[in-house]
Amino acid sequence: FTEALQQKPQHVLALIQRSEAYHLLGNHEKALEDLRTALALDPKRLDAMIQRAGIYFALQQYELAAEDVETVLNANHTSMLV
């Protein structure tokens, strides 16, 4: 993912996928950084919000996790589809 992002730094899906890899490796800060970037580029990415909620939950930041889940649940899904 890093190589792909070197060629196209604003590739949102690559950022989300690299974030998942970082999360699975236990590097939650880098995972969150990639998700922040992805959401800055495309704020309507529900998959990024759900993934970020999972990382917040793993970090025991339950209020932040709940905020992301609530945002996704309240989203107008027809206009927010990925």
Side-chain angles (χ1 to χ4, degrees), residues 11 14 21-22 25 41-42 46 50 54-55 58 61-63 68 73-74 80 82:
H11 192 283
Y22 281 143
L25 293 171
L41 293 168
D42 188 353
L46 298 178
I50 287 295
I55 295 169
Q61 295 178 1
Y62 302 121
E63 285 187 32
D68 276 347
L73 291 175
N74 291 326
M80 307 270 291
V82 181

Side-chain angles (χ1 to χ4, degrees), residues 2-20:
T2 299
E3 188 174 313
L5 288 164
Q6 287 173 345
Q7 294 178 19
K8 190 174 178 187
Q10 297 184 338
H11 192 283
V12 174
L13 184 57
L15 285 162
I16 293 169
Q17 290 175 335
R18 185 173 72 175
S19 171
E20 178 66 16

Side-chain angles (χ1 to χ4, degrees), residues 28-29 32 35-36 39 48-73:
H28 303 300
E29 291 307 316
L32 287 172
L35 290 174
R36 284 186 201 104
L39 287 166
M49 288 181 207
I50 287 295
Q51 187 168 316
R52 186 172 65 180
I55 295 169
Y56 284 147
F57 189 84
L59 294 172
Q60 298 181 349
Q61 295 178 1
Y62 302 121
E63 285 187 32
L64 292 173
E67 287 175 20
D68 276 347
V69 170
E70 188 174 326
T71 298
V72 170
L73 291 175

